Amino acid sequence: MTLPRFRCYIDGAFVDTDETFDSIDPSTGKPWAVMPAASAEDTDRAVQAAHHALSDPAWANLTATQRGKLLYRLGDLLAEHAPGIAELETRDTGKIIRETRAQIGYIADFYRYFAGLADKAEGAHLPIDKPDMEVYLRREPIGVVAAIVPWNSQLFLSAIKLGPALAAGCTVVLKASEDGPAPLLEFAKLVEQAGFPKGVVNIITGFGATCGKALTSHPLVARVAFTGGPSTARQIVRNTAENLAYTSLELGGKSPVVVFADADIDSTANAIVAGIFAASGQSCVAGSRLYVERPIHDRLVGLLAAKARAIRIGDPQDPATEMGPLATARQRAHIEALIGQSVAAGARVLTGGRAPADRKHGFYFEPTILACAHNEFPCVAEEFFGPVLSVIPFDGEEQAVALANDTRYGLASGVFTRDLARAHRMIRRIRAGIVWVNTYRAISPIAPLGGYGMSGLGREGGAESIRDYTRTKAVWIRTSDDPTADPFVMR
Ligand code: NAD
């Protein structure tokens, strides 16, 4: 049987690459499609196309309002094609269909939001301290953007890069992950249909060491927008030593969820399940460290274990499935190894901890809860990027803050309490880019995403994000012809 074949989208054309690789369906563990593997030369062609498009009048002469209209059309097309793209994402990454459908439908709104921002990236007139000068700031596109995304939520993570970049007038080379690239390569057809001039958006995939390195170190790249793991981020920072590209890094997390004894236990349990078992825990914001105030510790943990055991694991294309497989065999091996180390260190498996016995094929893993006496376990320190929750009891607010902040990460967090004053104290003291209070895993184009510490640099989403894709140009206009100014003294 011949497998469907995907292509890169470079300079307005769908192109084959010399090298290819098979993409694996995580629910079966078998190859299902052939993907292009962009070489350094293919990547260079994509960057050259983006560089050329930047000053091509077909793009450069569009008004900001016209760019916004193109983005809005892209949002509409994505909404229209959401079911087909969702099916592809589910096939290629194992993410369940009920989430991919809902998420991709909503991502259309992200493009519409950034469309609306296009003509609001205003410059400024400065009240300059010289009587014969007018000074204003122009806001100009920063240049060619290299956008790099990991395999989970590729459509979402690229929307918060492509949206502000295109709204600002930049051109983009978007590198899909080599794991699960199908939905982004398919999305390229919508970019074409929306009517973006050729070269403005190029979508490629390939391996980090070849394609990723060539892209992020390319001399014509002015801006790198990266989402992925911290060790790749370090390589990217080394790569950008070549081009000094302005770089944002959205990295991993080990996000704390703090539950006080006065919390509403049922809705809290529901939010904790959303935080760690949705998307099989393969979410950067996964609430993977749970701190429970001692009086309700046993009750809440019992409730969570019952909920975890009741989760329907199965075919990700079945709308009834609540947890599908992990995206790769590598990911499952990492999770198994980290659980092994944690158990050896004294953590107790309360539920899960292994692949389900009734799933012989595919990369499935049971929702897992580990009881930990304190923070000093590998499962509390390291990111699983999987459905594994570490639970630790605490006594009082001071200890909760100390435990929650005892991490090198700082992406998201959750606080559950009915005490409003305490909620506000916790919000101030937790070191994380997001604090969800009495909820978890909510996103919007309007709210920025980003971390502290090893969770990254910069913020994505929200009205300010367009500024990160522009530079200002200060324009000085002299309003007098007085020839007596001393040319040897700075004015
Ligand atoms: P990864 O870092 O292995 O890969 C991410 C991307 O980087 C891929 O496209 C990969 O090909 C590319 N890459 C690899 N080496 C490269 C190099 N040398 N130069 C340039 N590009 C290179 O991450 P992953 O395993 O695919 O994804 C999981 C990680 O992503 C987790 O740590 C997760 O927390 C993080 N993540 C963060 C966010 C966020 O918004 N903060 C969102 C989702 C995922």
Side-chain angles (χ1 to χ4, degrees), residues 250-267:
E250 295 291 340
L251 312 179
K254 193 73 198 176
S255 299
V257 176
V258 179
V259 182
F260 289 94
D262 67 343
D264 180 293
I265 203 151
D266 290 317
S267 79

Side-chain angles (χ1 to χ4, degrees), residues 14 21 56 148 151 207 233 273 282 310-311 331 336 339 347 356 362 463:
F14 290 89
F21 63 96
D56 185 337
I148 301 194
W151 48 268
F207 297 97
V273 167
Q282 301 167 113
I311 288 174
Q331 188 59 20
E336 284 169 340
I339 290 179

Side-chain angles (χ1 to χ4, degrees), residues 18 45 71 108 135 149 153 159 176 213 230 237 249 276 292 294 297 303 355 384 391 409 432 440 451 453 456 466 491:
D18 289 343
R45 274 196 300 123
L71 270 172
V135 178
V149 292
S153 301
K213 179 155 192 234
V237 170
L249 305 169
I276 190 64
V292 188
R294 210 172 294 272
H297 177 273
L303 185 58
F384 277 97
V391 191
Y409 292 110
Y440 208 87
I466 191 169
R491 299 213 59 202

